[in-house]
Amino acid sequence: ISIATPNQLHRDQVIAALDAGKHVYCDKPLTVTGDDARAIAQAVAAHPNLVHGMAFHMRFIAATLRARQLVREGFLGRVYHFRGSYYHAGYTDPERPISWRLTKEAGGGALSDLGSHIIDMIAYLLGDYEAVRADMETFVTQRPVGKGSDVMAPVEVDDYVCLQARMKSGATGFVDASRFATGTHDGMSLEIYGETGALKFNMMDPNYLYAYDATEPEADLGGRRGWTQIECLQRYPKPSILPSPKLPIGWMRFHLHSVYDFLSAVVAGKPGTANLLDGIKTQMVDAAVRRSAESGQWENVEGV
């Protein structure tokens, strides 16, 4: 069962699907609150033979798969710091009508809508979060209830979220998400700086991962030291061979490979690359961000 309903409906639908003995593929964010995530965790534990997946499609860009491979090979050495951003510009028009995505009930806002992706992306590459300190802003506080309407409704969620994060690995960095990034389209970007190397990626330049090998010696005229453009294109692991790995990649391929990964996991009867446990972890970071935005303090990311 594929669950792609508004966020506040996910918890009950995921649990019902699992209780009915169905494999589950859920859109992000997994749910709305940390308590919801804990309830889903109990359902997952009660059905260990069922396969589940999350639509964290950014994990399934050939370039981010290559980035993870390099990190796990130790290319970066000790990771010092990082930055991850996900920017859209879809809400910059104050006349855009209100929708469920702008309600507290749905846990909407930049944090849930966009932040869930980039929070998971950082975890996919660098491991679990330890603590966060966050700030959230709402730039347009009310919107028309319909196109051209004079009746206004309050915006109950954030337009922008920025958080400082400490990872359990010791790395530290910044993560932010905005739906008010004027002039931006689908702007997910990553920068990771380590002891022996560095990585950069921008989703608007999706065919390439950029890597810097600091172990290359300095030399007259520069030697071989410098940023390398790795042509990832559609070089997915076999048996995924269509289309050609040499062709430029597009946004739909990320989602297609996410679904492919889930269905392959169903066939194999084993966990896929992105599953409900990853959604649960992301939700617990979301909960810590919200606590920090209220307290103004560092908040630990709770486990489940």
Side-chain angles (χ1 to χ4, degrees):
I1 293 180
S2 176
I3 295 174
T5 52
N7 308 335
Q8 71 270 27
L9 304 177
H10 289 185
R11 182 197 64 187
D12 291 346
Q13 292 173 344
V14 168
I15 293 172
L18 292 171
D19 287 345
K22 305 299 182 184
H23 305 299
V24 174
Y25 184 77
C26 187
D27 195 10
K28 59 79 204 171
L30 176 60
T31 183
V32 176
T33 68
D35 287 341
D36 289 347
R38 292 186 182 92
I40 291 174
Q42 292 178 346
V44 169
H47 301 287
N49 296 324
L50 294 178
V51 175
H52 39 85
M54 283 292 302
F56 284 140
H57 67 276
M58 292 179 188
R59 291 188 177 206
F60 300 98
I61 306 168
T64 57
L65 290 169
R66 178 66 175 134
R68 178 175 163 87
Q69 185 181 58
L70 286 170
V71 171
R72 299 186 80 175
E73 290 173 354
F75 174 77
L76 298 175
R78 174 190 171 191
V79 175
Y80 294 135
H81 62 90
F82 60 87
R83 178 178 292 275
S85 298
Y86 195 12
Y87 291 167
H88 277 193
Y91 285 83
T92 55
D93 180 2
E95 297 303 314
R96 178 171 176 170
I98 202 81
S99 74
W100 65 267
R101 292 182 185 275
L102 301 175
T103 65
K104 188 175 181 180
E105 178 189 24
L111 174 58
S112 292
D113 192 22
L114 304 177
S116 55
H117 276 303
I118 193 63
I119 287 169
D120 174 74
M121 190 75 254
I122 295 297
Y124 177 61
L125 295 174
L126 300 180
D128 290 341
Y129 290 77
E130 181 176 79
V132 296
R133 183 171 60 186
D135 186 40
M136 302 167 75
E137 295 287 344
T138 303
F139 302 121
V140 174
T141 58
Q142 58 180 5
R143 291 182 177 272
V145 297
K147 187 175 181 179
S149 176
D150 293 329
V151 180
M152 308 297 284
V155 174
E156 301 174 342
V157 297
D158 56 293
D159 293 322
Y160 174 73
V161 59
C162 179
L163 61 115
Q164 186 178 4
R166 289 200 304 260
M167 311 302 285
K168 289 185 177 180
S169 67
T172 186
F174 289 92
V175 178
D176 65 341
S178 174
R179 299 197 294 201
F180 271 67
T182 303
T184 306
H185 296 289
D186 204 23
M188 188 278 278
S189 62
L190 295 166
E191 298 178 11
I192 306 174
Y193 299 97
E195 178 183 18
T196 56
L199 297 171
K200 291 182 182 181
F201 174 75
N202 190 311
M203 200 159 68
M204 294 303 288
D205 183 22
N207 292 294
Y208 302 102
L209 174 69
Y210 294 84
Y212 186 93
D213 186 351
T215 66
E216 286 284 350
E218 291 190 17
D220 292 343
L221 304 180
R224 293 182 178 273
R225 179 172 281 204
W227 286 95
T228 298
Q229 184 188 58
I230 301 174
E231 54 173 36
C232 299
L233 304 173
Q234 300 198 56
R235 300 182 190 277
Y236 285 95
K238 293 181 179 180
S240 180
I241 59 174
L242 292 174
S244 167
K246 298 180 181 181
L247 297 179
I249 198 167
W251 184 87
M252 283 300 297
R253 182 66 196 271
F254 316 157
H255 273 285
L256 289 171
H257 203 78
S258 178
V259 173
Y260 170 81
D261 184 90
F262 168 67
L263 294 176
S264 297
V266 171
V267 172
K270 62 181 183 180
T273 302
N275 55 54
L276 294 182
L277 301 180
D278 299 305
I280 290 165
K281 288 183 177 182
T282 299
Q283 199 68 51
M284 301 314 290
V285 177
D286 178 295
V289 167
R290 296 179 191 279
R291 292 197 305 273
S292 178
E294 291 186 2
S295 70
Q297 304 297 318
W298 282 94
E299 295 287 345
N300 290 330
V301 176
E302 299 174 355
V304 174

